[in-house]
Amino acid sequence: MYVAVGQFAVTPDWRENAIKCVNLMMQARQKGASLLVLPEALLARDDNDPDLSVKSAQPLDGEFLQQLLSQSAGNEMTTLFTVHVPSTPGRAVNTLVAIRGGVIVARYAKLHLYDAFSIQESRRVDPGDRVPPLLEIDGFKVGLMTCYDLRFPELALHLALQGADVLVLPAAWVKGPLKEHHWSTLLAARALDTTCYVVASGECGTKNIGQSRVVDPLGVTIAAAAEAPVLLMAEINAERIALARQQLPVLRNRRFAPPQLL
C-alpha cells in the first residue's frame, strides 16, 4: 500500500487551507496513495493569536469539511487530519477526522491535551474520553493518534494489541530546545514499542517543526521531510510487519496487562 504525507503551513484563512488540502488530496490520489495523512489543526492558525484554531472551529458539517468531502467523493483514498469542532461557547474539541468516498468513516477526539512546555491546550480545548476503533485501509488496520499522544506509549500499545498494523499521527509539533530530537526519537520508539508503521504529518509554519516522517516497524525512517511544504510518498507492506513481529515479538513477550483508559 502506498501512503502519502502532506506537510504545509496552515494560514489564518480556512478557505486557503481548504484549497491546500484539496490540492494535496488530488496529488496523492494521482500518485496512487491509498492513505493521505495531513497535519493537526489545519482549519486556521495565526502566530499572533494562539486561540485562532478554537475561534475558527467549525462543525463537521461545516463549509471547510464539505470542500474536502467533495474532493473525496468517488474514490477510495482515505484522508486523515484534525480540525477543531465547537463544543461549548468559546471551546472546542481537537478532532481527528478520516474521510473516504465523500463521507466521514472515523473520528477521534484527542485524548492527551498539550499542557506542557508553557502551553496549555486545555485552556480552550476539551479532551476526548475514548480510544477510537481501528480503521481498515486496503487490508491494513490503522490506529489513530494526534500529536501529544505520541508521548504516551499506552495509547500506541493499546491500539497495537487491538490489531493495529499502522499508527497515524497528524501533528503540529512546537519548536523548542530538544523538541526535534524528541519528535524523531518518539516516532521511532512508538514504532518499536508496537512493531507498527508510524505515519506522521507535521505542520510546518514558523512555530512548528514540520519534519513529517514514515517509520517502519523496526524503527527505520523510510520517508522524511525537513521544514518546507512537501508531499511525501512511501510504500508499506505486510511482509515487513510480519518480519518485525517475528524478529521482535514484543507484543507477545510483554508481562504487563494491556493498558486501559483512566
Side-chain angles (χ1 to χ4, degrees):
M1 177 172 78
Y2 285 96
V3 300
V5 185
Q7 172 174 299
F8 68 96
V10 176
T11 75
D13 185 346
W14 70 262
R15 294 172 181 83
E16 183 177 341
N17 299 325
I19 291 171
K20 289 183 179 180
C21 292
V22 165
N23 288 337
L24 287 167
M25 292 170 71
M26 293 172 60
Q27 294 173 44
R29 184 184 176 192
Q30 290 168 358
K31 292 177 180 291
S34 296
L35 168 66
L36 169 64
V37 182
L38 297 173
E40 177 189 22
L42 45 64
L43 232 171
R45 188 183 298 278
D46 187 345
D47 290 348
N48 298 314
D49 184 357
D51 295 328
L52 183 63
S53 293
V54 173
K55 294 175 182 176
S56 301
Q58 292 187 17
L60 292 180
D61 60 357
E63 293 183 69
F64 178 88
L65 198 57
Q66 290 306 308
Q67 293 191 32
L68 275 62
L69 288 170
S70 295
Q71 178 60 35
S72 171
N75 70 81
E76 289 302 307
M77 185 181 76
T78 303
T79 301
L80 298 104
F81 50 88
T82 92
V83 292
H84 284 83
V85 177
S87 53
T88 55
R91 300 186 65 81
V93 176
N94 190 344
T95 305
L96 191 157
V97 180
I99 61 176
R100 181 171 62 217
V103 298
I104 295 172
V105 295
R107 66 186 70 175
Y108 159 62
K110 186 179 182 182
L111 282 169
H112 299 102
L113 300 185
Y114 186 53
D115 290 355
F117 292 104
S118 302
I119 295 176
Q120 189 176 19
E121 186 178 11
S122 65
R123 185 173 59 85
R124 298 288 296 269
V125 176
D126 299 322
D129 60 6
R130 65 188 64 186
V131 178
L134 301 180
L135 179 64
E136 187 161 334
I137 303 174
D138 283 5
F140 291 87
K141 293 182 178 178
V142 178
L144 311 180
M145 303 171 64
T146 301
C147 202
Y148 192 47
D149 284 337
L150 184 63
R151 292 187 181 273
F152 299 88
E154 298 87 355
L155 177 55
L157 181 58
H158 178 97
L159 293 167
L161 292 174
Q162 294 300 308
D165 306 302
V166 181
L167 303 174
V168 297
L169 188 89
W173 201 262
V174 181
K175 294 178 181 179
L178 298 178
K179 295 294 295 300
E180 295 181 8
H181 170 66
H182 293 182
W183 172 250
S184 59
T185 300
L186 289 165
L187 288 173
R190 295 297 82 83
L192 290 166
D193 288 343
T194 62
T195 51
C196 289
Y197 281 95
V198 178
V199 183
S201 176
E203 198 270 346
C204 63
T206 57
K207 290 194 174 182
N208 297 321
I209 67 171
Q211 299 198 22
S212 299
R213 290 180 183 244
V214 181
V215 182
D216 86 356
L218 287 173
V220 178
T221 298
I222 59 173
E227 76 285 355
V230 70
L231 179 68
L232 294 179
M233 295 291 299
E235 184 177 8
I236 67 176
N237 63 77
E239 291 79 11
R240 183 65 170 172
I241 300 170
L243 175 65
R245 292 179 177 178
Q246 177 186 4
Q247 294 181 338
L248 185 65
V250 290
L251 298 178
R252 295 201 312 269
N253 293 162
R254 63 188 174 79
R255 298 290 301 277
F256 284 85
Q260 298 294 317
L261 187 63
L262 294 175

